[in-house]
Amino acid sequence: MKRINLDTEEIRSFCLLAETGSFRKTAQRLGISGSTLSRQISRIEDRTQARLFDRDTRNVALTEQGKMFLRLAERILNTTDSALDEFDTYLNTKRGKLTIAGLPSVTAGLLPPLIAEFMQAHPNVDVQLNDMLSEGVLREVEMGRADIGFTADVVEDTDNLSFQRLLSDRFIAVGAPGGFLDENRTYQWEEILSQPMVAMSRETSVRSIIDAACTQHGFAFHPRFEVAHLATAGAL
């Protein structure tokens, strides 16, 4: 069987002519002359050895063979476009930019060795790391300004966000040496909450989790100090 050789531009011209039913409109949309378009269609019919269009001075209509060829042509173009999109995505990962938003605790502790490994494997990808509070992380990802975000809060999947749990950690209370928490025993919620507490601000994921836990157990949480950064909490 003789192989039919057609380029994608000829196939696109054929599909557009089938859509518009007009040589003039098709030529205008393609930015070519009517005679050039006519020669393209004639070449396709010569190579396929089939009459694909019935045409007169005013109208252009697909023949039965043309309708069959149109289904195959559209499949070819869809496959070609999909393959080119896939290759473009591949190139972007090789010569692209990855923006990460994360909590300061994550960007300082968890991510640096992972980023170093990633940059070694993908040296042509620029990595931008933005440390911010939980609400900022979610906002950056949702607005498309960050490709991925790391937060300590549980996020419900939405149309714009997909959440995947990576790990779980425990909350602990920390006190000064020789102070209230110096005894090696179990402390109750009431005891801890009765003390002058240093807490993270309400915009942080840590605070939202603590507030939720207090509400669940029926306790009121009124910290003495509220800070946005962990270093400040540790200093206090």
Side-chain angles (χ1 to χ4, degrees), residues 87-111:
F87 185 64
D88 186 55
T89 300
Y90 167 79
L91 290 179
N92 286 335
T93 62
K94 293 296 182 181
R95 300 192 306 267
K97 179 180 180 181
L98 175 65
T99 302
I100 302 172
L103 301 177
S105 57
V106 178
T107 57
L110 176 66
L111 293 184

Side-chain angles (χ1 to χ4, degrees), residues 2 9-10 17 31 49 55 60 77 83 94-95 109 141 146 150 168 181 183 195 199 201 209 216-218 226 231 236:
K2 183 179 179 180
E9 292 307 312
E10 290 174 329
L17 180 58
Q49 297 183 353
R55 44 196 182 269
V60 178
L77 293 180
K94 293 296 182 181
R95 300 192 306 267
V141 176
F150 293 85
S168 298
L181 296 174
E183 299 178 30
Q195 300 299 306
S201 69
I209 294 174
Q216 181 180 354
H217 290 84
E226 295 187 26
L236 288 173

